[in-house]
Each structure stands twice: as C-alpha cells, then as structure tokens.
Amino acid sequence: MDEFLRTRALIGSEAQERLRCAHIVVAGAGGVGGYCLEGLVRAGIGEMLLVDGDVVEETNLNRQLIATRATLGQPKSEVARARALSIRPDMDIDACHAFYDAQTAGQFDLSRYDWVVDAIDTVSSKLLLIEQARAAGAKVISCMGAGNKLHTEFEIADIEKTSVCPLARRMRTELKKRGIQGVLAVYSKEPPFRPQDGERAPASISYVPGAAGLTLAGAVIRDLLGR
C-alpha cells in the first residue's frame, strides 16, 4: 500500500514531490512543536531538523504528543525523531538536543531550509530565531501563546496584525525595535485564563497545543504547495 495515496488524491503527484523536496526546521518539540512535526511528517516533508534542549517530564503528559510514561526523562528532540522515523523510516530527519539561544545559534545554517518553524517558549530565543532565519533568507512562522486557553480557534496573520494575545503584543514590540516586519504568526484572540490553584506556570489542556501545532504545519504545507 502507498502511504501517500490519499494525500496525492488531494494535492496531486507534482505537489507531493514538492513536499518531499522541502527542508524544514522545527525549533521546539513540545506541545505545539510535537504536533506541528506530526503534521509535517505525515504530509511527506523530505528533510527536517528538530531543535530542543528539554527532556520529557511528567507534567508534559497532559498535552504533548511525544510524552508517554515510556519516554519520561528522554530528550524531546530524540523522542520526536524516533516517532517520526516510526512513521516514515526513510525520511531524512536530524535531532539536536540543545536550546536555540545566543550560545547555540551559530551551530545552525538556516540558509539550507525553506521554512523555519518557531515553537519555542522563551521570548529571547524566539526573537533570535526569527532574526537569524530572516538573515539567512528562510521563511519563518512563529507560534504565539497556546497556554491558558480552552478554545482551538487559532488564526494566521502577520505579527503586526495580531491582537489580544499577550505574547504576540510583546513580540510585536520587540520585532518593531529590530526593524522586522511581516513575520507570520499563529495566534488566538481568546483572552487567556488565569492559572488556578496558585500555579505560576502557564496552564494547559490536552487539545489546544495540538490545534496550534497543526495550524503551523498547515500554513507551511499550503505555502509549499503554492496555495
């Protein structure tokens, strides 16, 4: 049986080949990044690089695709790569167990990639990744806040046109200082909830990060298809 039979029925053989020839970086392999990766892998993206310096923890089990009891304590990038290869053993996928930051950014030649997907939580790292991707001539899409939300209505817009989301507001301000415009963002207009029970970390539920991650994947795939 042909694994892409039904995909080709939708987009055609030429478009499927376009996906096979694409090169994509996904930075952040957690709740959002893990689902984005899933969408890209199953669509047939040919070459990928995963960047994440974190390990799977018990608190990830409520929302992260790669988090199971069996993967606790393992590097997220390696777990995500193993999952991708369990779906498509012949794909070209590398994993880097490192956080994308000022110390590690020089390790990555982003000019090799068609798209850079930002699924990082830290503002400084998101800004650096966007700066470096733009300098390298790669297209970049950035996910805004997916925590403290209960709805899955995520939108895609240039960062300047985002609203409501506190992370998007901060990113707009910082990118404007750097003279960067037109970065695609996935964001939600749902006002964020306050975490309950005295928790300070962002609250989350099973399905919202997945919706954001698949929205990222869909935006990238449609662009590669010219749609």
Side-chain angles (χ1 to χ4, degrees), residues 167-221:
L167 177 56
R169 184 185 310 119
R170 186 172 176 190
M171 291 292 291
R172 285 197 307 271
T173 300
E174 294 299 325
L175 287 171
K176 185 176 181 180
K177 291 178 183 177
R178 291 161 172 78
I180 297 175
Q181 295 181 323
V183 174
L184 273 187
V186 169
Y187 76 106
S188 166
K189 291 180 181 175
E190 178 185 7
F193 286 82
R194 289 183 177 273
Q196 303 294 304
D197 302 325
E199 287 292 332
R200 299 188 64 182
S204 61
I205 197 163
S206 57
Y207 54 89
V208 174
L214 291 173
T215 302
L216 284 170
V220 170
I221 290 167

